[in-house]
Every structure is written in structure tokens, then in C-alpha cells.
Amino acid sequence: MELDSLYQEVILDHYRHPLHKKLSADFSAQVHHVNPSCGDEITLNVMIKNGLVENVSWEGVGCSISQASTSIAADLMIGKSLKQALTTVDSFSQLMSSKGTEAGDEEVLEDGVALAGVSKFPARIKCALLGWMAFKDAAIQSKV
Ligand code: ZN
């Protein structure tokens, strides 16, 4: 898989120094998601209060794409309103289904645009989506 080298750096940086990778004891929902096709696995905690994403924390193992993507997603969601956060997840899902035709909106996705090239590799899309889907699942569970 070949990605733009600048983007490769961003991904490796998140992989080596993942953000919010330590489960917080305080959470409104906890989910465990796996991507069996690659062996990626994450546990993700969210703290959502009054429609605000106060915290996201996680633990996981797996390929650099899955771990970097979860780090990017967690950092991006913290401090957003739940509505904004879910719109951001949709924006990333759309980017992942673009088959390499979209670059992604950096204003919305920030470091997430570094994963745009993954959308050309169907086998890796689930790796990139793992953390985002886990967040969405946890957010929905927090609402009930
Ligand atoms: Zn993977």
C-alpha cells in the first residue's frame, strides 16, 4: 500500500504516539470492536454529557492504520457536540467509500485526511473505520 509520504508520517506519528490511549475509569458507554479480517481490536470509552463529548479514551492492538485512525478519531471528537461528532464520523465514512477520488475536508477531519488514500484499498477500509464506528456505537449507547 502506498500513501503520500507526508500522510504516511502523520499516520506513523499517531501509531507511535497514540492520543488518549488509556482507558478512563469514567465513561457513559464502553464498546469493544474487532476487525477480524486484520486482527485489529479496540475497547473505547466515551463520556457524553448534556450533548457534549467530554472525553474519549481507548485501548487496542492491531495494524498501524487501525491504531492511528482511532487516535485521530478520539482526539477529534473530544470537545465536540454529539451532533458535530456524528457529522464528522459521517464525513469520514464518506471519505472511506470514495475509492480514492476524494481528499477529505481538512477543516472537518484534520489529521483524518491523512487516511484518504486508504479508501483505494478495500481490504484496509475496515481498519481505518474501526475507531470511528466504535465511537458512533458508544455515542448511540450513551443516548439511551
Ligand atoms: Zn488493520
Side-chain angles (χ1 to χ4, degrees):
M1 185 166 75
E2 275 187 43
L3 297 175
D4 179 284
S5 61
L6 172 70
Y7 283 174
Q8 191 102 44
E9 268 311 301
V10 174
I11 293 166
L12 283 177
D13 199 45
H14 275 279
Y15 180 58
R16 292 185 187 126
H17 311 286
L19 303 171
H20 317 293
K21 191 176 177 184
K22 184 178 191 303
L23 287 175
S24 160
D26 241 13
F27 54 86
S28 54
Q30 178 174 72
V31 296
H32 183 71
H33 278 213
V34 295
N35 172 24
S37 62
C38 182
D40 310 318
E41 211 168 311
I42 60 165
T43 301
L44 185 136
N45 288 357
V46 296
M47 176 54 100
I48 296 174
K49 252 192 221 162
N50 305 319
L52 183 77
V53 182
E54 291 189 351
N55 198 24
V56 180
S57 61
W58 62 285
E59 262 306 332
V61 289
C63 69
S64 57
I65 300 286
S66 69
Q67 304 299 298
S69 189
T70 303
S71 168
I72 292 167
D75 196 48
L76 204 50
M77 299 309 162
I78 296 169
K80 281 191 164 46
S81 72
L82 178 58
K83 198 171 167 229
Q84 267 181 319
L86 292 175
T87 305
T88 307
V89 172
D90 286 345
S91 173
F92 187 76
S93 304
Q94 196 190 322
L95 178 62
M96 284 303 109
S97 59
S98 75
K99 299 185 169 73
T101 61
E102 283 178 34
D105 185 346
E106 198 166 358
E107 295 266 307
V108 177
L109 296 173
E110 298 180 22
D111 280 357
V113 298
L115 293 152
V118 175
S119 69
K120 284 183 277 186
F121 304 90
R124 310 306 302 278
I125 293 172
K126 278 188 184 161
C127 302
L129 280 173
L130 187 67
W132 304 70
M133 291 302 115
F135 172 80
K136 190 174 182 178
D137 187 16
I140 290 163
Q141 290 188 32
S142 287
K143 280 205 274 192
V144 255

